[in-house]
Amino acid sequence: MSPIRTNSSLNLFIIMRLFCVFLTTILVTAFSSQATEKPNILFVLFDDMGYGEPTSYRPASLFKTPNIDRMAKEGMRFTDAHSSAASCTPTRYGFLTGRYPHRIGQFGVLSTFSPPLIPKTRLTVASYLKQNGYATACIGKWHLGMNWGRPKTKGKNKNKEELKIGEKMTGGPNAIGFDYFYGFTHARNIQTIIEQDTVVKEVKPIENQPLMIAKAIEFLKESSLNKEKPFFLYFPMCPPHKPVVPAPQYVGKGGKVGKGSYSDWVYQGDDMLGQLLDTLESTGLANDTLVLVSADNGAAGREYPPLREHKASIYEGGHREPFLARWPGRIKPGTTSDQIISITDIFATCASLLGKSLPENAGEDSVSFLKCLYGQQEGPFREASVQQSGKKALAIRKGKWKLIVHGDNKRELFDLNADIGEKHNAIQTHPKIAAELVLLLQSYLDKGRSTPGKAQPLEYKISLDEVRYKKK
């Protein structure tokens, strides 16, 4: 063989080796930057929205939800996503802490003068992101308690004066990680507007949501002036929860589903989402913002087959929710995921975005679904998921199987692949599966966590062998 040919072959070999090293470096760098960059995060939470209301989830729906459907076209639509509970307060606790609300015995909802559920010492998704350089804001409905300096009385606001302009509270959003708060305690007190820690005005219920969306848009525009600092905006709106008070520009435009103006209220909620998406576009923030959209529980008193029942129920209609994600250039448009995810998983997902893991004593029930968003997840990303209802029922979901342990200790097992309507209790035909799921659920309860790691102290003990709820 001639020296010239030998040298040519050697040179080609070296060039190919260098090219491979270069390509590998580029890919590793790209993947690393993808995992550790700090995108803006916007989480929009609808209140009492049923899985079957958006047309992107139920084509036969008569509701008009063009912006939820826009999210489905421009991002990823999850078909098996769940709130952590079938009611408002517990789900919000689960989202912010990455922890199941039954761990503190919270099964019901709070009132105006209920004390805070989340102590300052508990790491939340807001305080975690703030520690990592984010500007954080909550604009909308809080419903996790505040200290108003009022004596504790039994019942829901019985014999108590209303909040007054200038009155101050502690233990609210500012105490657990939010730099800025503008909103209201809960839907029944929608007329009272709070900024930071102070009651600033009283408005008519119909005026509340226009105020909230205007403030959220203002926050986004201000954030666009300093794009070097990422933001986390949590926007928990009121629609479709009562009071049903659509603004004049929405009346008669929601599709006329049933009696009253409920469909217009749904449409107003959807339009507020659209205004936020449009603001991201107009301010140049869209490509650098992960947008997540979901709801806290099923529709109130409205069942959407094939799912069984609605808000407050341990069946799928109570906690299976629309869940959508958009991040241009990162999440492939028009994609669908059947991964089983929970609203509690948002916390760990935010940590993964930063290339970090959560401390042992935080987000004990939160598992990152970041690989799902990137289309890289193969197989289930979590062992099992747990939900609850106001009657102290617990459900554990693993694969196609869902076991329900009701508060009165009645038990049901459903194969959701074959029986999404939960009509046929399979506990007699599959007792071994039921027993395995009972053991797994009890182990989660006993360890204080459902994720790998050190067992955590129990604040509220639950034994599945005990009756936890009795009808009055």
Side-chain angles (χ1 to χ4, degrees):
M1 183 179 293
S2 69
I4 295 177
R5 178 172 290 184
T6 301
N7 289 338
S8 297
S9 299
L10 181 61
N11 289 338
L12 181 61
F13 175 75
I14 292 173
I15 291 171
M16 291 181 68
R17 284 290 299 272
L18 289 173
F19 176 75
C20 289
V21 171
F22 174 75
L23 183 61
T24 301
T25 302
I26 291 295
L27 291 174
V28 169
T29 302
F31 181 80
S32 177
S33 64
Q34 185 185 54
T36 60
E37 59 190 322
K38 289 185 176 181
N40 305 310
I41 303 168
L42 167 61
F43 180 42
V44 178
L45 186 68
F46 284 79
D47 198 341
D48 288 10
M49 172 165 276
Y51 185 91
E53 290 180 339
T55 51
S56 50
Y57 278 84
R58 187 172 65 98
S61 174
L62 298 177
F63 291 100
K64 292 184 178 180
T65 55
N67 292 292
I68 293 177
D69 303 339
R70 171 183 171 185
M71 283 285 299
K73 293 175 183 176
E74 297 179 358
M76 178 175 286
R77 180 176 65 95
F78 286 84
T79 60
D80 206 344
H82 300 262
S83 56
S84 51
S87 57
C88 173
T89 294
T91 284
R92 290 158 204 260
Y93 176 90
F95 154 61
L96 283 171
T97 65
R99 191 178 187 222
Y100 294 139
H102 63 254
R103 299 209 180 279
I104 60 168
Q106 188 63 43
F107 290 91
V109 298
L110 301 186
S111 61
T112 301
F113 298 99
S114 298
L117 274 187
I118 305 175
K120 294 180 181 179
T121 52
R122 166 62 57 175
L123 193 66
T124 67
V125 63
S127 59
Y128 180 80
L129 290 172
K130 183 176 180 178
Q131 290 173 9
N132 283 277
Y134 278 72
T136 57
C138 172
I139 298 174
K141 174 180 168 179
W142 184 237
H143 216 173
L144 286 166
M146 300 169 174
N147 286 316
W148 291 102
R150 303 288 186 96
K152 186 176 180 180
T153 60
K154 295 182 179 181
K156 296 184 178 180
N157 299 333
K158 289 183 178 179
N159 302 318
K160 287 187 177 180
E161 296 180 5
E162 293 300 317
L163 294 172
K164 298 177 181 179
I165 293 176
E167 195 163 353
K168 291 184 178 291
M169 58 83 176
T170 59
N174 298 142
I176 57 170
F178 287 104
D179 297 316
Y180 182 71
F181 172 64
Y182 187 85
F184 51 105
T185 58
H186 63 124
R188 290 188 177 88
N189 198 26
I190 197 171
Q191 72 280 358
T192 303
I193 307 299
I194 304 164
E195 187 167 23
Q196 298 295 64
D197 63 350
T198 307
V199 177
V200 293
K201 65 173 68 178
E202 290 286 324
V203 300
K204 295 178 181 178
I206 198 172
E207 298 171 330
N208 178 288
Q209 290 300 277
L211 276 176
M212 297 302 119
I213 189 60
K215 189 63 72 171
I217 289 172
E218 179 184 325
F219 175 84
L220 292 179
K221 288 181 176 179
E222 289 180 356
S223 298
S224 71
L225 301 178
N226 182 15
K227 294 180 180 177
E228 296 302 311
K229 187 175 182 65
F231 67 79
F232 167 54
L233 173 58
Y234 169 41
F235 186 73
M237 66 173 74
C238 188
H241 194 291
K242 293 180 179 179
V244 178
V245 284
Q249 64 267 36
Y250 300 104
V251 174
K253 297 181 179 179
K256 292 292 182 182
V257 183
K259 297 180 180 180
S261 52
Y262 179 82
S263 58
D264 297 334
W265 193 222
V266 172
Y267 184 59
Q268 180 169 344
D270 181 85
D271 186 69
M272 288 194 291
L273 168 62
Q275 291 182 56
L276 294 173
L277 297 178
D278 290 345
T279 303
L280 292 176
E281 297 287 348
S282 65
T283 55
L285 292 169
N287 289 341
D288 298 316
T289 304
L290 169 62
V291 181
L292 301 174
V293 178
S294 193
D296 61 349
N297 47 250
R302 295 170 182 265
E303 183 173 326
Y304 296 103
L307 300 189
R308 181 175 174 180
E309 296 191 1
H310 41 70
K311 176 182 179 177
S313 173
I314 196 62
Y315 298 109
E316 292 293 287
H319 53 79
R320 186 182 288 232
E321 295 302 321
F323 194 107
L324 306 102
R326 190 193 78 168
W327 188 7
R330 310 301 196 284
I331 298 174
K332 187 177 179 180
T335 51
T336 300
S337 174
D338 61 359
Q339 288 281 345
I340 303 168
I341 69 169
S342 169
I343 199 171
T344 60
D345 295 328
I346 292 176
F347 194 171
T349 303
C350 289
S352 291
L353 278 171
L354 307 181
K356 298 184 177 184
S357 299
L358 293 175
E360 286 274 340
N361 62 344
E364 296 94 329
D365 300 303
S366 189
V367 183
S368 173
F369 56 84
L370 187 61
K371 285 187 176 181
C372 301
L373 297 179
Y374 291 155
Q376 300 169 347
Q377 182 67 39
E378 296 181 4
F381 74 97
R382 57 150 57 244
E383 182 180 36
S385 180
V386 178
Q387 281 74 44
Q388 65 179 61
S389 77
K391 294 182 179 180
K392 298 187 177 182
L394 294 171
I396 183 167
R397 174 77 183 282
K398 185 177 182 182
K400 68 178 184 177
W401 294 105
K402 175 182 176 180
L403 174 80
I404 299 173
V405 182
H406 291 273
D408 61 5
N409 214 12
K410 174 187 174 183
R411 301 182 182 191
E412 296 179 284
L413 178 70
F414 299 104
D415 175 355
L416 294 186
N417 284 358
D419 182 23
I420 189 65
E422 297 169 288
K423 297 178 180 179
H424 308 289
N425 186 0
I427 203 163
Q428 297 298 326
T429 52
H430 296 279
K432 185 177 179 181
I433 291 173
E436 290 173 353
L437 290 175
V438 167
L439 288 175
L440 182 59
L441 177 55
Q442 188 64 62
S443 73
Y444 287 172
L445 296 171
D446 294 342
K447 290 189 295 186
R449 68 184 316 129
S450 58
T451 56
K454 183 181 178 181
Q456 295 297 302
L458 302 183
E459 296 180 53
Y460 184 82
K461 295 182 180 181
I462 296 177
S463 170
L464 297 177
D465 292 329
E466 297 176 354
V467 173
R468 301 177 300 284
Y469 179 85
K470 293 181 180 180
K471 292 182 179 181
K472 295 180 180 179

